[in-house]
Amino acid sequence: MRRIAGIVLAVLLIGGVVAAVVAGRQGDDKGTATKTVRGVIGSEKSDFFADPDVVKALAAKGYTVKTEASGSWAMEDLNLKGYDFAFPSSSAPADTLAEKYHARQPLPRPFYSPLVVVAHRGAAQVLAANGLAVLDGKGKGTLKMAAYLDAAEHDRTWQQLKGAKAHGELTGTLYVTSTDPETSNSGALYLAAASYVANGGRVVASDADVRRTAPLLHKLVSVQGAQQPSSDSVFRDFISGAGNPLVCLYESQVVSLLAEQHGSDDLVVLYPDTTVNSDHTVVPLDDAGRALGELLSTDPTLRKLAVRHGFRPQGDSAEFVRATADRAAYLNQTLTGVRQAPVPTSAVLHEMARRARG
């Protein structure tokens, strides 16, 4: 009997251990289970969502986020059925998508990034010597938009600029490389900033405004030839030393690069004295998409990670200044001397882009 009792007791003990392990695993599964959320994003946010720390922070809040990249304006032509959110790079395409999919307002706007022009050092020095830019130390400065647009309108070449002969790579027409404005947000916002200056400091809002600014915008685009569909592509070309010495893209891309490389001897970041902010805006297509957008806006860990990738969190400029103190030699952290131009409506931007592309 003692032997039988011992066997029974052993079985009960083993069963208890197994039950405890199973219960523990079930508890762990319940604690780490995540809800999969699918979205279409602007390509400039791909690295953010792929960051293991971002993945971990989202999982801690119960989310697995799967994304596909697209040009922000190209999202309008996609079938977003089955997706939980779209995340274009500015409010204009976001508002169009929100209307199309009846998304409830207000739309979450977790972070933003101003447009900048990156330049090779020699090009920046020549611009400054000819009154087209003002340099502020080694790695940053201001692009004088009115002067630059006047040079573009009159087909100025690098060879006509004082000091350019010392830089053999500076030849041909002076222009800033941008992305295709019909599909890419950064290209469209470049036209928005230029048109605001060309229109006498007023946002382009009427057919007459569009007609008035169209010749200059067409010149800005046509001189480039074939344009890339995303700012990631033009930035990679710039970093590799290929292509044009002046490139329009997002400040966030520069901040992210500097975080990895800790500076560059041949990089100058020019902030146009009139620029446009790219307000990265979530378009929730269902409740899960809205919850994710609000989480990106409010969660302290995700806000810090957004700054790591160069984005400026909405509502707290000091947060960005503190986090990028080690890169202040290249960044206008407080955007001093930079005027923010209003962005035309989606319909006007589309028409401007169409005419600019010719």
Side-chain angles (χ1 to χ4, degrees), residues 17-325:
V17 171
V18 171
V21 171
V22 171
R25 285 179 177 172
Q26 288 176 339
D28 289 343
D29 289 344
K30 184 177 179 181
T32 58
T34 59
K35 178 180 179 61
T36 299
V37 181
R38 297 182 63 213
V40 179
I41 63 172
S43 61
E44 70 292 326
K45 293 184 283 290
S46 294
D47 287 345
F48 171 75
F49 282 104
D51 185 335
D53 290 334
V54 173
V55 173
K56 182 179 177 181
L58 289 168
K61 295 296 183 179
Y63 291 95
T64 296
V65 179
K66 295 188 176 181
T67 63
E68 298 173 25
S70 167
S72 292
W73 289 101
M75 290 181 192
E76 294 180 18
D77 298 323
L78 298 178
N79 180 1
L80 297 181
K81 183 178 180 180
Y83 291 91
D84 300 289
F85 70 97
F87 201 173
S89 303
S90 71
S91 56
D95 289 340
T96 298
L97 288 169
E99 183 177 355
K100 180 178 179 179
Y101 290 97
H102 309 291
R104 175 169 53 88
Q105 298 283 351
L107 303 178
R109 291 181 167 86
F111 39 73
Y112 67 97
S113 185
L115 283 185
V116 299
V117 173
V118 291
H120 295 303
R121 185 166 305 283
Q125 290 171 343
V126 170
L127 292 179
N130 288 270
L132 300 175
V134 177
L135 300 185
D136 179 14
K138 178 183 176 182
K140 64 184 176 184
T142 303
L143 178 68
K144 301 173 75 172
M145 279 292 282
Y148 162 67
L149 293 177
D150 180 73
E153 188 170 18
H154 291 90
D155 302 313
R156 297 279 292 278
T157 64
W158 284 105
Q159 292 93 322
Q160 293 173 321
L161 300 183
K162 179 174 60 179
K165 290 182 180 179
H167 305 277
E169 74 279 8
L170 300 180
T171 61
T173 304
L174 169 67
Y175 68 91
V176 172
T177 293
S178 60
T179 55
D180 184 345
E182 291 193 290
T183 60
S184 171
N185 182 66
S186 60
L189 293 187
Y190 173 57
L191 296 186
S195 67
Y196 183 81
V197 176
N199 201 38
R202 299 184 306 275
V203 65
V204 172
S206 66
D207 290 341
D209 292 338
V210 172
R211 288 194 301 271
R212 185 182 307 113
T213 57
L216 174 60
L217 300 187
H218 177 66
K219 185 166 287 190
L220 295 178
V221 169
S222 62
V223 71
Q224 300 181 47
Q227 291 178 289
Q228 297 275 18
S230 76
S231 55
D232 281 347
S233 301
V234 295
F235 196 27
R236 282 195 298 269
D237 288 346
F238 176 85
I239 293 169
S240 69
N244 197 43
L246 302 174
V247 175
C248 178
L249 40 75
Y250 300 114
E251 179 195 54
S252 58
Q253 294 168 289
V254 180
V255 178
S256 183
L257 172 72
L258 293 173
E260 297 171 4
Q261 297 188 0
H262 308 291
S264 171
D265 290 336
D266 192 37
L267 173 67
V268 178
V269 185
L270 299 175
Y271 287 76
D273 55 15
T274 299
T275 191
V276 173
N277 276 344
S278 178
D279 288 311
H280 295 268
T281 305
V282 176
V283 181
L285 304 176
D286 55 27
D287 291 341
R290 180 166 293 277
L292 176 66
E294 292 172 352
L295 182 66
L296 292 171
S297 302
T298 59
D299 182 75
T301 300
L302 288 168
R303 287 172 66 92
K304 288 179 182 178
L305 290 169
V307 175
R308 176 196 289 180
H309 287 270
F311 301 110
R312 294 174 179 252
Q314 295 283 7
D316 188 357
S317 59
E319 193 172 353
F320 180 84
V321 172
R322 288 192 302 270
T324 59

